[in-house]
């Protein structure tokens, strides 16, 4: 199967702008508290968010976050304008430019379409090859990357620009408040006292290409390969996970199979783990079922404890964390949970100093409302 | 990658033009606001109180498509069923109403049972629950083009081995009445059932035809200004991707469904430059109208034709529609 | 429906709950359990809380919600709240 290389990356989140800033923060694991949204219309009990620095401009906020990440990824990969022209854009976002399509507080302001993030990226990089906006909620970024890999494997494209972006949405946060799914303190996946999630803003965008294409243009560095994806749908409930986790298990095993990975070659998992009570238990049990004896020792890196739940960007930011771990050969420390880890979530969350990555694969999960699940497997490019 | 072509074996439509895909008079205007959809007769007496219109339409169109396809879905194990849906404004009215509640009375006054639908992918997620679609579920939202992109993404997922049965289509609901695009709102849903030709033949299914989709991008900044030398090649390549080599000399007619914009103007002129007879039809606000044209085009035998769309933001897509049976025996795909 | 009850009409309450759960009033018997017998999920339970708060002008806590498992329990709770002079919206 055609290998898909990750040769460029860009990111923005509450950790700041840029991939180097993100890796530095991952290794330092600072405690970052969410803040009340800077929105006078946010009439809700817990208007909490991890804001990301959006560049100034008149575009919607999700577009501006995506543009920041995309520009970095293009420069990082060294793509020329003629290469960009042939690169389709696939961008995941749950709510798109929510600041545009939600009712403007200023009634006279026009309400332009919300899901123009992929098109804005295509315009900015000069792509002629297409723009697809994927909106599978909190799995959107993961699906966007999986679709990008399929575009390459089916021979439709040699190089793709893909990722995820999510900005504050008043309605989304209000609905999470109404459903009792926001934690008043922080995003605390696998914590005994977790009471819901906390959203974060962010974007991660990648340049993906065939090994041939990379060789022809003299690429010297690839972070990792996007080696496989597994897709599934619970078809169970709009918001609650299927308790047995049969479909998330299938997404994981399909992704491992497609990547040619075995449970023994996986050195880390970046889980979906949002801090929602039932979801974290179901995912922990599914990891136990997929990895068997290996599960107790398999490091799990809980990115959302650091940056919040970045929804449509979460799968892409999770994939970026995985790519950086493979590139550095290091698993950064988890945000400290200590003895407060939920015994019903028996996953291995290494805390303390960074540790070396053992195993050449990393599994990344992104699950969503509607029971939409996607798992990605990344492989070290040196492997 | 799998080479077997997908064939359309089921079509389901609910729309202001009626629910019979063969009888859609899509060139006359239709009012999205008319009380054209009867929940009780389409869906049943209960269970849909909290389900927003964009989801009701999709449920109804999917049921109709699956009825049309006979026993297609029950033959396929749940994990091998996939669904891709395009929607731009499927929840726009709901979001607007929720936002009014949040910014005035506050989030505590939101309807909890409706709250999940703030997330646009729950429209297709709800349909997946009804039909055990456990393979995967994709929601695409690119303005205007997402319905065609759902066909494309779904077909690609099939080619990559991710399903053995595909449902693909579009759903839209009327924009809020204070929205500038309200009067041109798309409303309704169209769903196609697609399966491998061999599987359809094996179960003796009636075929409606085939469709193949390509997407491309014409940057709006270049669209009307300085010439972009590659843009014509981009469009020509997209056409080539959906037209088998042996059909290249046929020059199928094109229906371009778009609102006037520099992107649409450029695409229209490109298609004509490439020798294709192209009709320009006004788009609604949404992703549905191009899919309705495909659904309608598949209901009657006729020559291959192309349905194209262009969003003012630059996203373009075109779908080559081959109704079954072909009128010209040289078109037989053997 | 007026929010100024002091006596709670159980038939009115039955109709309200039936409408919220999309059931016929006859199905909402006095002791049918909303979740186990009538198929309400956690979001519908929350929905019922919002509807009762609006219709009867009371504030219900999560504890109230947990205890309100049947029409009879809901009626008793609302009677207690409205006669205690619970907030009238």
């Amino acid at each position: 199967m055609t290998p898909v290389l990750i040769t460029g990356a860009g990111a923005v989140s509450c950790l700041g702008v840029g991939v180097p800033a993100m890796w530095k923060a991952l290794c330092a694991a600072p405690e970052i508290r969410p803040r009340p949204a800077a929105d006078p219309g946010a009439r809700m009990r817990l208007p909490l968010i991890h804001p990301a620095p959006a560049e100034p401009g008149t575009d919607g906020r999700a577009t501006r976050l995506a543009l920041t990440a995309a520009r970095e990824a293009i420069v990082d990969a060294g793509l020329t304008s003629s290469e960009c022209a042939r690169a389709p854009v696939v961008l995941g976002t749950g709510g798109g430019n929510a600041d545009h399509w939600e009712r403007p507080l200023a009634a006279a302001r026009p309400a332009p379409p919300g899901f123009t993030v992929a098109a804005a990226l295509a315009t900015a990089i000069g792509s002629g090859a297409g723009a697809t906006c994927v909106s599978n909620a909190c799995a959107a970024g993961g699906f966007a990357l999986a679709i990008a890999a399929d575009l390459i494997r089916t021979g439709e494209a040699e190089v793709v620009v893909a990722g995820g972006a999510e900005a504050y949405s008043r309605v989304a946060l209000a609905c999470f408040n109404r459903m009792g799914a926001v934690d008043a303190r922080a995003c605390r996946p696998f914590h005994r006292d977790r009471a819901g999630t906390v959203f974060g803003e962010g974007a991660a965008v990648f340049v993906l290409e065939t090994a041939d294409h990379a060789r022809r243009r003299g690429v010297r560095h690839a972070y990792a390969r996007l080696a496989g994806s597994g897709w599934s749908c619970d078809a169970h409930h709009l918001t609650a996970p299927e308790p047995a986790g049969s479909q998330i298990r299938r997404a994981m095993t399909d992704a491992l199979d497609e990547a040619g990975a075995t449970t023994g070659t996986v050195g880390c998992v970046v889980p979906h783990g949002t801090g929602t009570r039932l979801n974290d238990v179901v995912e922990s049990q599914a990891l136990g079922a997929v990895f068997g004896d290996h599960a107790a020792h398999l490091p799990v890196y809980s990115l959302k404890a650091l940056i919040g739940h970045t929804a449509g960007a979460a799968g892409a930011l999770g994939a970026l964390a995985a790519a950086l771990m493979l590139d550095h050969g290091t698993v950064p420390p988890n945000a400290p949970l200590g003895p407060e880890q939920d015994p019903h979530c028996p996953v291995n969350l290494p805390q303390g100093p960074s540790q070396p990555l053992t195993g050449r694969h990393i599994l990344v999960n992104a699950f969503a409302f509607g029971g939409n699940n996607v798992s990605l497997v990344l492989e070290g490019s040196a492997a | 990658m799998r080479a077997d072509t997908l064939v359309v074996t089921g079509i389901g439509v609910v729309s202001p033009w009626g629910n019979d895909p063969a009888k859609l008079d899509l060139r006359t205007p239709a009012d999205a606001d008319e009380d054209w959809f009867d929940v009780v007769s389409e869906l049943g007496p209960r269970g849909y109180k909290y389900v927003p219109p964009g989801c009701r339409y999709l449920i109804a169109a999917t049921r109709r498509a699956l009825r049309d396809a006979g026993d297609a879905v029950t033959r396929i194990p749940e994990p091998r069923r996939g669904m891709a849906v395009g929607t731009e404004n499927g929840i726009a009215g709901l979001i607007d109403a929720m936002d009014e509640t949040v910014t005035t009375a506050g989030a505590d006054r939101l309807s909890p049972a409706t709250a999940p639908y703030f997330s646009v992918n729950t429209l297709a997620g709800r349909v997946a629950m009804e039909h055990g679609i456990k393979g995967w579920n994709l929601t695409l939202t690119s303005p205007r083009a997402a319905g065609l992109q759902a066909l494309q993404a779904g077909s690609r997922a099939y080619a990559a081995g991710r399903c053995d049965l595909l449902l693909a289509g579009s759903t839209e609901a009327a924009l809020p009445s204070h929205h500038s695009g309200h009067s041109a709102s798309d409303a309704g849903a169209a769903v196609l059932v697609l399966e491998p030709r061999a599987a359809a033949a094996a179960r003796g299914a009636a075929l409606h035809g085939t469709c193949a989709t390509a997407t491309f991008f014409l940057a709006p900044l270049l669209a009307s200004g300085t010439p972009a030398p590659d843009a014509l090649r981009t469009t020509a390549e997209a056409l080539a991707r959906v037209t088998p080599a042996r059909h290249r000399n046929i020059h199928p007619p094109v229906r371009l469904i778009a609102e006037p914009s520099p992107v649409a103007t450029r695409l229209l002129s490109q298609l004509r430059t490439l020798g294709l007879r192209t009709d320009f039809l006004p788009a609604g606000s949404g992703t549905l109208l191009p899919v309705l044209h495909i659904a309608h085009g598949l209901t009657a035998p006729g020559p291959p034709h192309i349905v194209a769309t262009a969003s003012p933001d630059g996203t373009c897509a075109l779908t080559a529609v081959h109704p079954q049976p072909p009128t010209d025996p040289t078109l037989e795909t053997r | 429906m007026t929010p100024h009850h002091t006596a709670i009409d159980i038939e009115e309450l039955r109709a309200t709950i039936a409408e919220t759960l999309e059931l016929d009033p006859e199905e909402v018997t006095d002791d049918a359990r909303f979740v186990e017998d009538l198929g309400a999920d956690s979001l519908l339970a929350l929905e019922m809380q919002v509807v009762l708060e609006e219709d009867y002008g009371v504030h219900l806590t999560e504890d109230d919600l947990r205890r309100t498992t049947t029409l009879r329990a809901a009626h008793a709770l609302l009677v207690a709240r409205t006669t205690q002079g619970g907030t009238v919206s």
Side-chain angles (χ1 to χ4, degrees):
Chain A
M1 194 175 281
T2 318
V4 177
L5 300 186
I6 298 173
T7 57
V12 56
S13 69
C14 68
L15 303 176
V17 175
V19 170
M22 175 157 162
W23 180 247
K24 199 175 158 195
L26 261 52
C27 293
E31 188 182 353
I32 304 171
R33 302 306 291 256
R35 289 191 247 155
D39 173 12
R43 296 194 172 190
M44 57 193 86
R45 290 178 209 188
L46 299 169
L48 297 176
I49 186 87
H50 287 287
E55 58 185 59
T58 53
D59 281 321
R61 204 170 158 83
T63 290
R64 284 181 276 141
L65 293 170
L67 284 172
T68 301
R71 286 198 196 96
E72 183 187 4
I74 302 289
V75 170
D76 186 32
L79 279 194
T80 64
S81 58
S82 63
E83 287 153 0
C84 283
R86 305 188 70 79
V89 173
V90 187
L91 203 285
T93 181
N97 288 317
D99 50 345
H100 280 189
W101 73 314
E102 287 175 4
R103 174 182 293 249
L105 289 177
R109 208 187 71 182
F115 292 109
T116 51
V117 187
L121 246 57
T123 300
I125 71 166
S127 170
T132 303
C133 206
V134 182
S135 296
N136 283 75
C138 303
F143 271 111
L145 293 175
I147 289 170
D150 281 0
L151 267 164
I152 288 172
R153 296 209 176 102
T154 54
E156 286 182 62
E158 286 189 294
V159 55
V160 183
V161 173
E166 200 75 54
Y168 166 73
S169 158
R170 178 167 57 231
V171 170
L173 189 49
C175 286
F176 263 62
N177 267 269
R178 180 57 277 186
M179 292 184 282
V182 181
D183 192 303
R185 285 189 54 188
C187 186
R188 299 183 284 174
F190 311 111
H191 192 286
R192 196 179 52 203
D193 303 327
R194 70 188 180 282
T197 199
V198 174
F199 284 126
E201 294 187 314
V205 175
F206 298 91
V207 173
L208 305 168
E209 60 189 308
T210 64
D212 250 9
H213 191 265
R215 197 178 314 117
R216 286 204 308 273
R217 63 184 196 90
V219 169
R220 288 164 178 275
H221 171 245
Y223 291 89
R225 297 174 183 170
L226 181 46
S229 71
W231 307 12
S232 75
C233 179
D234 284 0
H236 168 74
H237 190 271
L238 287 184
T239 58
E242 184 227 331
S246 63
Q247 292 309 314
I248 63 173
R249 288 205 308 268
R250 191 170 63 79
M252 290 189 245
T253 51
D254 280 3
L256 293 169
D257 289 350
E258 194 173 289
T262 63
T263 53
T265 64
V266 175
C268 183
V269 173
V270 181
H272 184 59
T274 59
T276 310
R277 286 217 70 86
L278 185 56
N279 298 49
D280 291 5
V281 172
V282 172
E283 187 176 15
S284 300
Q285 289 167 347
L287 284 168
V290 169
F291 287 96
D293 294 342
H294 191 53
H297 310 287
L298 176 64
V300 170
Y301 180 68
S302 175
L303 178 63
K304 291 185 183 70
L306 200 58
I307 66 171
H309 186 359
T310 53
L317 281 160
L320 178 56
L324 293 173
M325 285 187 243
L326 288 162
D327 196 34
H328 288 89
T330 302
V331 179
N334 275 289
L337 266 175
E340 297 185 306
Q341 186 173 338
D342 185 347
H344 296 105
C345 299
V347 291
N348 173 26
L349 296 162
Q351 293 146 57
S354 294
Q355 58 180 58
L357 173 71
T358 57
R360 59 195 169 92
H361 292 111
I362 294 182
L363 174 73
V364 180
N365 287 337
F367 309 145
F369 268 27
N372 297 174
N373 313 307
V374 63
S375 294
L376 305 171
V377 171
L378 279 74
E379 181 177 10
S381 60
Chain B
M1 294 307 140
R2 293 195 286 188
D4 195 6
T5 4
L6 288 172
V7 291
V8 178
T9 56
I11 303 174
V13 164
V14 293
S15 83
W17 291 278
N19 302 337
D20 181 349
K23 294 182 182 158
L24 302 175
D25 183 12
L26 297 170
R27 287 171 193 257
T28 61
D31 191 345
D33 265 351
E34 289 285 324
D35 197 11
W36 58 269
F37 185 79
D38 182 353
V39 184
V40 173
S41 69
E42 271 301 320
L43 300 180
R46 62 166 71 152
Y48 304 95
K49 181 182 168 78
Y50 304 104
V51 178
C55 189
R56 292 174 175 178
Y57 303 155
L58 188 64
I59 294 170
T62 306
R63 285 187 195 168
R64 284 174 172 273
L66 287 173
R67 271 202 302 275
D68 185 41
D71 62 350
V73 73
T74 51
R75 286 170 171 254
I76 303 297
E78 291 183 335
R80 299 298 299 167
R81 305 172 187 169
M83 181 169 205
V85 172
T87 186
E88 185 188 351
N89 299 318
I91 57 165
L94 177 70
I95 293 282
D96 190 73
M98 285 175 162
D99 206 14
E100 169 148 33
T101 303
V102 174
T103 52
T104 55
D108 283 354
R109 295 268 75 85
L110 289 169
S111 157
T114 307
Y117 293 101
F118 86 85
S119 187
V120 69
N121 66 320
T122 53
L123 307 183
R126 168 76 192 233
V127 173
M129 286 160 58
E130 183 168 307
H131 302 289
I133 301 168
K134 295 186 177 174
W136 48 268
N137 199 284
L138 275 183
T139 295
L140 305 169
T141 50
S142 315
R144 302 300 172 270
L148 304 191
Q149 288 184 339
L151 280 167
Q152 182 191 31
S155 302
R156 184 187 303 123
Y158 163 77
R162 304 195 185 283
C163 65
D164 296 321
L165 179 82
L166 170 66
L167 287 84
S170 160
T171 189
E172 297 289 355
L175 284 164
S177 56
H178 60 82
H179 193 286
S180 59
H182 169 74
S183 62
S185 293
D186 271 355
V191 173
L192 305 181
V193 178
L194 300 104
E195 58 190 302
R197 187 179 286 277
R203 69 181 186 92
L207 309 187
H208 293 295
T210 62
C211 38
T213 303
T215 56
F216 54 106
F217 195 82
L218 298 175
L221 298 178
L222 294 173
S224 61
T226 49
D230 281 349
L232 186 63
R233 196 181 73 189
T234 298
T235 305
E237 284 175 358
L239 279 164
R241 284 207 297 280
V242 300
T243 319
R246 61 188 178 283
H247 295 175
R248 293 280 154 75
N249 56 350
I250 291 175
H251 296 297
V254 180
R255 236 171 274 167
L256 172 60
I257 297 149
E259 67 257 65
S261 77
V263 174
T265 305
R266 183 161 192 91
L267 180 55
L268 180 64
S269 100
Q270 286 182 349
L271 291 166
R272 287 176 176 162
T273 303
L274 292 166
L276 300 175
R277 187 160 52 77
T278 304
D279 265 2
F280 186 87
L281 302 177
S285 304
T287 66
L288 178 63
L289 197 53
V291 184
L292 286 175
H293 275 275
I294 293 170
H296 180 63
L298 285 167
T299 54
H305 57 276
I306 288 173
V307 173
T309 189
S311 165
D313 66 20
T315 308
C316 301
L318 44 86
T319 297
V321 181
H322 292 243
Q324 184 88 16
T327 49
D328 179 345
T330 62
L331 296 179
E332 192 60 61
T333 35
R334 297 280 162 201
Chain C
M1 191 168 293
T2 135
H4 297 283
H5 299 265
T6 44
I8 306 289
D9 182 331
I10 194 164
E11 293 314 316
E12 250 175 59
L13 181 60
R14 191 190 313 277
T16 300
I17 289 174
E19 196 186 330
T20 306
L21 301 182
E22 294 188 86
L23 298 169
D24 294 327
E26 309 81 78
E27 292 174 84
V28 186
T29 58
D30 292 2
D31 296 306
R33 293 165 301 172
F34 300 140
V35 175
E36 294 86 345
D37 302 328
L38 301 179
D41 66 4
S42 61
L43 290 176
L44 271 178
L46 270 175
E47 186 75 31
M48 205 158 57
Q49 176 189 6
V50 171
V51 169
L52 296 182
E53 286 184 347
E54 284 195 347
D55 282 3
Y56 294 92
V58 295
H59 175 70
L60 302 177
T61 64
E62 275 185 40
D63 261 356
D64 293 336
L65 196 61
R66 261 191 292 279
R67 286 184 283 120
T68 312
T69 53
T70 62
L71 173 65
R72 195 188 297 278
H75 185 255
L77 179 73
L78 289 174
V79 167
R81 280 304 149 80
T82 45
T83 50
Q84 279 162 11
T87 53
V88 173
S89 60

